[in-house]
Amino acid sequence: MQNRSGITLSPGVVPNLKDYEVFRHSFTWQDEQKFLDGLPEQKGFNIAYEALERHAKGKLKDTVALRWILKDKTFKDFTYYDIHKLSSRFANVLTSLGIKKGERVFALTGRIPELYIAALGTLKKTAVFCPLFSVFGPEPIFQRLSKGDAKVLVTTKELFEKKVKQLLDRLPMLQFILLTDEELHVNDKVLSLPRLLEEAYDEFFIPPTDPEDPALLHFTSGTTGIPKGALHVHGAVLMHYITGKYVLDFHEGDIFWCTADPGWVTGTSYGIIAPLVNGITNVVDAEEFDAVRWYSILEDQKVNVWYTAPTAIRRLMRMDIQPKEKYNLEHLRLICSVGEPLHAEAVLWGEKTFGMPILDNWWQTETGGIMIANYLSMKVKPGSMGKPLPGVEAAIAEVTDTEIEIITEPNKQGHLILKKGWPSMFRSYLHDEERYKKSFRGDWYLTGDLAKKDKDGYYWFVGRADDIIKSSGHMVGPFEVENIVMEHPAVAEAAVIGKPEPIIGELVKAFIVLKKGFTADEKMQLDIIGYARKKLGAAVAPKEIAFVNELPKTKSGKILRRLLKARELGLPEGDISTLEQTP
Ligand code: AMP
């Protein structure tokens, strides 16, 4: 079977979205909503009900919902019924701890079954779930727990000892820490999760849930201040459902593998919810990237749909492995990518290596689900993010402080904006109403990305409109890193930028002015990097440091990171009229 570009598609499976333009025309949210069940005997939607309960009580009861792959590649299966029971126990644990609707339950665990059970149990309880990356150092963990008013934290003994214990004095509102691998309660606050689960009843009645009730909290980095907490609601499940159906093209019986960690929104929307709402099997690998391991998981698990990220794809491209020769990948039908630009060569590499182009799609923490995508049945233009989801309206616009003007001319760069109203749109930045308001102009949400739209309606990514760094797919706020680097006793001033790097997209680079009396040498570089790693974790800490005599600043004292970046890349310096003094 060929699509309209002549690119070969897998035989035998008809895509759910057969003709993009026709479907976009006839699409209504109401029509799609009919595929969800809604809570029995009451109006409203609860994510956990749609993802789990309705299946656990129906024909998918014994279907594997979650296949958890261990380090030695053996695996443990959990059916829809198993997860239903376990998550009900977790919801009852929350009740016994006095946790109420809307209160925040955090997880810091790595990809272990307890994370998935806690997520679904929290959603059943109508408390709000917030997963954190286990690679974060203590400082980013503290910021998120405190800004998110965490009441409960699910974590492991090791992570608790290494990263959380030292923060407890600064987290007075954190009431309970549930350790996933501790058999006995440690004290009144630090409890054994296995024990609590064992003692809890395995049936739980999901309370009435309004589609507007908060469900998930995801932090995303900002250029200034501490990370922003984007709050999502239960009604988002409709978006998870339709994007699973029309972008990831889930079909009954599919095995799906999303390589993202739930600490990143992709790992929750698509690593937990979308596959379950669509009733398929979700593969979870607890380990980090390893090319050979990944190819053998695709083979052993007979993965049909694989959702991954450009960083991983670029790593695979660098390796001299011809997966189709070495591995039996006949079940693989679709590969999708998100998180950063997927360059044309990567799309075509997919075609050469797997016999199918890698389909790029675009979205962000705030959108809660995929917004712009390439679809199986639509012509692929390698390097483009594709077209907006049916039901989603996107545009390119000039944006001022108060207004927007939509650009209709093709291929003209502007801000990527989205018309309010899709179900998974974030409903607030926690404790930051001002910032939330600033993200909108009338009916339009400003994504913070720059893009172009071509004459055929395809969107092309240009860059971020702000200073946010995208490193290995993670958002890193320069300010967050600068704050920590500045704590080092030798550092007087610091400015952080993203420096393009072929594998990880951008690496975090810090420009540092040292205090008088300190020597700018390699030892100092390593010392500062080491300090930042301890505090921030390796994913966020700078990988490169340059010592400078002064930092370029505006007359009002703002660091001109844009200028540092232009200089680093040898690009034109642009408008430097606001520069305080040219070094
Ligand atoms: P996050 O909120 O961490 O998921 O990051 C969202 C940001 O990642 C977007 O605003 C973009 O800057 C970038 N991004 C995500 N997907 C893509 C894509 N397909 N192409 C280019 N950039 C992307």
Side-chain angles (χ1 to χ4, degrees), residues 51-52 55 63-69 75-80 83 111-113 115-117 119-120 248 250-251 253-262 266-286 297 301-307:
L52 199 58
H55 300 317
T63 298
V64 175
L66 183 74
R67 171 162 294 171
W68 182 52
I69 306 186
F75 55 86
K76 200 166 167 212
D77 281 347
F78 298 84
T79 63
Y80 277 88
I83 302 269
R111 292 180 294 282
I112 56 175
L115 170 63
Y116 298 79
I117 290 158
L120 292 155
L248 300 170
F250 293 150
H251 282 69
D254 269 352
I255 312 277
F256 171 63
W257 182 25
C258 169
T259 58
D261 187 278
T266 302
T268 301
S269 294
Y270 298 97
I272 307 180
I273 304 167
L276 301 189
V277 177
N278 281 277
I280 61 164
T281 297
N282 189 31
V283 169
V284 172
D285 182 27
I297 289 177
Q301 299 305 332
K302 302 185 170 55
V303 171
N304 305 110
V305 180
W306 183 32
Y307 196 18

Side-chain angles (χ1 to χ4, degrees), residues 413-455:
Q413 177 179 319
H415 289 255
L416 175 60
I417 60 173
L418 299 166
K419 185 92 167 266
K420 271 181 184 172
W422 72 96
S424 61
M425 187 181 87
F426 71 133
R427 299 301 200 269
S428 74
Y429 283 130
L430 207 62
H431 307 314
D432 212 342
E433 204 43 40
E434 224 13 65
R435 224 158 175 191
Y436 185 70
K437 277 198 206 130
K438 270 197 196 154
S439 318
F440 294 89
R441 295 281 180 286
D443 274 350
W444 293 88
Y445 163 64
L446 316 178
T447 66
D449 281 356
L450 300 174
K452 294 177 187 173
K453 180 178 165 182
D454 72 15
K455 64 176 187 357

Side-chain angles (χ1 to χ4, degrees), residues 241-524:
Y241 171 73
I242 70 155
T243 45
K245 185 159 82 170
Y246 297 122
V247 181
L248 300 170
D249 196 49
F250 293 150
H251 282 69
E252 198 178 331
D254 269 352
I255 312 277
F256 171 63
W257 182 25
C258 169
T259 58
D261 187 278
W264 176 30
V265 67
T266 302
T268 301
S269 294
Y270 298 97
I272 307 180
I273 304 167
L276 301 189
V277 177
N278 281 277
I280 61 164
T281 297
N282 189 31
V283 169
V284 172
D285 182 27
E287 298 298 305
E288 292 312 313
F289 175 86
D290 171 331
V292 170
R293 180 178 175 90
W294 278 29
Y295 284 134
S296 47
I297 289 177
L298 290 173
E299 176 180 60
D300 297 348
Q301 299 305 332
K302 302 185 170 55
V303 171
N304 305 110
V305 180
W306 183 32
Y307 196 18
T308 190
T311 311
I313 293 166
R314 287 193 292 267
R315 286 192 179 144
L316 293 174
M317 285 170 76
R318 288 271 167 118
M319 306 214 157
D320 195 21
I321 303 177
Q322 292 304 319
K324 276 205 108 170
E325 285 169 18
K326 283 204 172 153
Y327 301 89
N328 177 354
L329 302 179
E330 64 181 345
H331 294 92
L332 191 59
R333 194 176 79 234
L334 170 60
I335 309 173
C336 291
S337 163
V338 71
E340 290 167 77
L342 185 70
H343 299 111
E345 319 104 75
V347 178
L348 299 170
W349 173 81
E351 162 104 284
K352 206 172 77 204
T353 314
F354 299 100
M356 65 195 91
I358 298 175
L359 299 188
D360 187 19
N361 55 63
W362 177 97
W363 60 292
Q364 54 178 200
T365 305
E366 287 85 344
T367 70
I370 300 169
M371 294 283 110
I372 297 179
N374 286 284
Y375 310 88
L376 268 172
S377 54
M378 188 175 84
K379 176 182 167 180
V380 174
K381 291 195 188 188
S384 159
M385 311 189 284
K387 294 190 184 187
L389 252 286
V392 169
E393 202 178 325
I396 303 294
E398 298 283 0
V399 175
T400 68
D401 279 351
T402 50
E403 282 167 36
I404 52 159
E405 195 181 321
I406 294 186
I407 300 172
T408 47
E409 197 185 322
N411 302 321
K412 194 153 179 260
Q413 177 179 319
H415 289 255
L416 175 60
I417 60 173
L418 299 166
K419 185 92 167 266
K420 271 181 184 172
W422 72 96
S424 61
M425 187 181 87
F426 71 133
R427 299 301 200 269
S428 74
Y429 283 130
L430 207 62
H431 307 314
D432 212 342
E433 204 43 40
E434 224 13 65
R435 224 158 175 191
Y436 185 70
K437 277 198 206 130
K438 270 197 196 154
S439 318
F440 294 89
R441 295 281 180 286
D443 274 350
W444 293 88
Y445 163 64
L446 316 178
T447 66
D449 281 356
L450 300 174
K452 294 177 187 173
K453 180 178 165 182
D454 72 15
K455 64 176 187 357
D456 302 319
Y458 283 72
Y459 283 77
W460 299 76
F461 182 78
V462 174
R464 294 279 313 169
D466 55 27
D467 296 327
I468 297 280
I469 301 163
K470 206 81 207 267
S471 187
S472 294
H474 308 317
M475 292 274 239
V476 179
F479 193 71
E480 205 183 343
V481 182
E482 286 160 12
N483 270 345
I484 292 299
V485 170
M486 296 277 292
E487 286 176 12
H488 187 280
V491 176
E493 276 191 295
V496 167
I497 63 159
K499 174 180 163 183
E501 203 276 348
I503 301 289
I504 61 171
E506 286 186 298
L507 69 73
V508 178
K509 173 158 187 173
F511 292 83
I512 286 175
V513 181
L514 287 179
K515 287 183 186 154
K516 282 217 170 68
F518 289 95
T519 317
D521 57 13
E522 200 182 329
K523 189 165 163 288
M524 180 62 78

